[in-house]
């Protein structure tokens, strides 16, 4: 089989299971874990913040890591970390073990996430990154659509500990086929500064500090708004009488819709540039936040809108980094992902605190919608300034 297709298939499989299960099911655990262990929502938010603080640390180290460790090794360690995380989740008895599991999950999600996958895809598909990344990253949508309902069923019938054990088993099952197929194109991907057969040292793009600063702030604001909202959806729906299994169905539909949205917006980016794709996404998120607060019963509308709104978490930062920083997109993307995870950490803590203050997620959702709007305006201004 074509090596390019095998490499893309391996990345797709990682997204399907590692991200679809590892990140997709997290919000289902909020209410039952807090209830069983007597942890406040703010306390649980701290554990989720640990996930993204570990994410941030690893993203900061990625440029150094990728020079010294083969990409296949990075994926192998990531799968091992996620499997360990869910094994610990199944045995949680205190807040300390909850935070330990969160640390392993954070490491796994980063090591299997956007930066290494983008490195693989960039090396094999230098001219069609938007379309191919859209297809590969849609794996998380398929994984979420297929596996989140399974986690919900396990939780309802056997408890959240059994669901965690099931997730660990899935990680073990996919490890072998994933590691056999993930491969980097050494000729194209070994160095980013290659010209006419000569290898130039990679240069960090400090020449345009204003654009880099704007992109980092944009990454921070998108992280602070999108993921905290996603992680609160199931808990919010439970406040409106929707049980875990039905809430998992909502998350599953979001993931399924996101599958098509990522492919669509990836193609839009290839044809028209990354900004129109980003604009569609931000409009979708703002409308989804309004729907979640004022029209909670409109679940099909919310699911479609949020599928558009979730795209900047994975697709937009690789496309923006490659579009504006041709010489060092991997280094810029690593920084952007670090800033995005810092925003996620702050947003999660803020969301938990607002819930404890108001006994409702509505104020947090409205605030996060405003933060996402600020990211949208910043992105528009930075692109306009660059084009002029």
């Amino acid at each position: 089989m074509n090596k390019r297709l095998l490499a893309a298939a391996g990345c797709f499989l990682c997204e399907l299971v590692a991200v679809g299960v590892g990140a997709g099911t997290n919000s289902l655990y909020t209410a039952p874990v807090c209830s069983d262990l007597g942890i406040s929502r703010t306390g649980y938010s701290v554990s989720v913040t640990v996930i993204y603080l570990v994410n941030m640390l690893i993203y900061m180290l990625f440029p150094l890591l990728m020079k010294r460790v083969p990409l296949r090794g990075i994926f192998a360690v990531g799968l091992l970390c996620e499997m360990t995380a869910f094994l610990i989740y199944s045995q949680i008895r205190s807040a300390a073990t909850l935070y330990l599991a969160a640390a392993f999950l954070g490491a796994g999600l980063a090591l299997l996430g956007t930066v290494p996958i983008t490195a693989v895809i960039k090396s094999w598909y230098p001219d069609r990154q938007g379309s191919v990344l859209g297809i590969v990253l849609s794996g998380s949508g398929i994984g979420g659509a297929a596996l989140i309902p399974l986690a919900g069923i396990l939780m309802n019938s056997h408890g959240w500990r059994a669901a965690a054990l099931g997730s660990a088993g899935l990680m073990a099952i996919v490890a072998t086929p994933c590691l056999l197929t993930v491969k980097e194109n050494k000729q194209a991907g070994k160095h980013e500064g290659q010209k006419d057969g000569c290898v130039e040292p990679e240069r960090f793009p400090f020449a345009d500090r204003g654009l880099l600063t704007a992109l980092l702030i944009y990454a921070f604001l998108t992280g602070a708004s999108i993921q905290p909202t996603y992680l609160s959806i199931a808990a919010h729906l439970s406040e409106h009488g929707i049980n875990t299994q039905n809430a998992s169905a909502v998350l599953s539909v979001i993931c399924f819709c996101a599958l098509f949205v990522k492919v669509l917006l990836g193609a839009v980016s290839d044809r028209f540039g990354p900004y129109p794709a980003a604009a569609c996404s931000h409009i979708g998120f703002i409308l989804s936040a309004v729907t979640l607060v004022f029209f909670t019963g409109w679940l099909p509308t919310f699911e479609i809108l949020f599928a558009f709104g979730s795209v900047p978490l994975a697709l937009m930062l690789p496309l923006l980094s490659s579009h504006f920083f041709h010489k060092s997109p991997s280094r810029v993307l690593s920084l952007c992902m670090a800033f995005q995870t810092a925003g996620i950490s702050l947003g999660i803590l803020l969301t938990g605190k607002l819930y404890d203050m108001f006994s409702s997620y509505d104020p947090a959702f409205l605030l996060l919608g405003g933060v996402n709007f600020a990211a949208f305006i910043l992105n528009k201004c930075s692109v306009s300034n660059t084009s002029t």
Side-chain angles (χ1 to χ4, degrees), residues 21-70:
V21 175
T25 62
N26 196 281
S27 65
L28 295 178
Y29 290 88
T30 304
V33 170
C34 288
S35 176
D36 288 356
L37 300 182
I39 298 175
S40 69
R41 297 296 169 88
T42 301
Y44 190 87
S45 296
V46 172
S47 74
V48 182
T49 299
V50 169
I51 294 174
Y52 293 103
L53 287 176
V54 174
N55 269 187
M56 181 175 63
L57 176 61
I58 292 177
Y59 284 133
M60 294 294 289
L61 296 174
F62 246 116
L64 183 64
L65 186 64
M66 290 175 66
K67 288 181 180 179
R68 288 165 170 76
V69 182

Side-chain angles (χ1 to χ4, degrees), residues 85-164:
F86 281 107
L87 287 173
I88 297 173
Y89 268 120
S90 70
Q91 302 300 318
I92 288 173
R93 304 294 176 188
S94 65
T97 50
L98 175 63
Y99 300 152
L100 179 62
F104 274 100
L105 183 57
L109 288 173
L111 293 169
L112 297 168
T114 304
V115 176
I117 284 176
T118 301
V120 174
I121 299 304
K122 179 179 173 59
S123 71
W124 287 105
Y125 299 91
D127 299 324
R128 293 185 292 138
Q129 291 180 57
S131 299
V132 177
L133 271 176
I135 294 171
V136 168
L137 295 176
S138 69
S140 62
I142 295 177
L147 301 175
I148 289 176
L150 177 61
I153 292 171
L154 281 173
M155 283 188 187
N156 272 352
S157 57
H158 300 288
W160 54 273
R161 297 184 189 276

Side-chain angles (χ1 to χ4, degrees), residues 215-216 219 317 321 331-341:
L215 191 57
L216 294 177
L317 290 180
S321 299
R331 297 185 70 182
V332 173
L333 179 58
S334 296
L335 270 179
C336 286
M337 295 303 294
F339 271 71
Q340 187 183 74
T341 51

Side-chain angles (χ1 to χ4, degrees), residues 106-332:
L109 288 173
L111 293 169
L112 297 168
T114 304
V115 176
I117 284 176
T118 301
V120 174
I121 299 304
K122 179 179 173 59
S123 71
W124 287 105
Y125 299 91
D127 299 324
R128 293 185 292 138
Q129 291 180 57
S131 299
V132 177
L133 271 176
I135 294 171
V136 168
L137 295 176
S138 69
S140 62
I142 295 177
L147 301 175
I148 289 176
L150 177 61
I153 292 171
L154 281 173
M155 283 188 187
N156 272 352
S157 57
H158 300 288
W160 54 273
R161 297 184 189 276
L165 278 175
S167 296
L170 280 172
M171 299 300 163
I173 290 170
V174 303
T176 300
C178 171
L179 296 178
L180 287 176
T181 53
V182 168
K183 187 177 180 180
E184 184 182 12
N185 183 353
K186 296 294 184 180
Q187 293 296 109
K190 190 173 182 180
H191 294 282
E192 292 183 278
Q194 192 168 349
K195 291 183 179 179
D196 300 325
C198 299
V199 176
E200 298 180 354
E202 185 182 82
R203 295 186 178 90
F204 192 72
F206 277 124
D208 198 343
R209 294 186 180 184
L211 180 58
L212 177 60
T213 300
L215 191 57
L216 294 177
I217 297 173
Y218 171 77
F220 181 87
L221 294 177
T222 54
S225 55
I226 299 171
Q227 190 68 357
T229 301
Y230 177 82
L231 292 172
S232 303
I233 291 171
H236 172 75
L237 294 178
S238 71
E239 304 292 334
H240 291 263
I242 298 174
N243 63 27
T244 301
Q245 187 169 341
N246 290 332
S248 69
V250 172
L251 299 180
S252 174
V253 173
I254 290 173
C255 292
F256 183 74
C257 293
L259 155 69
F260 299 101
V261 171
K262 288 174 184 175
V263 176
L264 172 64
L265 294 187
V268 168
S269 179
D270 280 346
R271 178 66 178 85
F272 301 103
Y275 175 67
C280 293
S281 182
H282 286 286
I283 292 170
F285 179 84
I286 293 165
L287 292 176
S288 72
V290 172
T291 303
L292 195 58
V293 172
F294 297 107
F295 309 100
T296 304
W298 296 11
L299 291 178
T301 301
F302 165 73
E303 290 160 352
I304 295 171
L305 291 172
F306 194 84
F308 274 88
S310 65
V311 168
L313 282 176
L315 183 61
M316 293 316 306
L317 290 180
L319 297 180
L320 289 167
S321 299
S322 296
H323 184 77
F324 291 116
F325 298 96
H326 303 287
K327 292 184 178 180
S328 306
S330 292
R331 297 185 70 182
V332 173

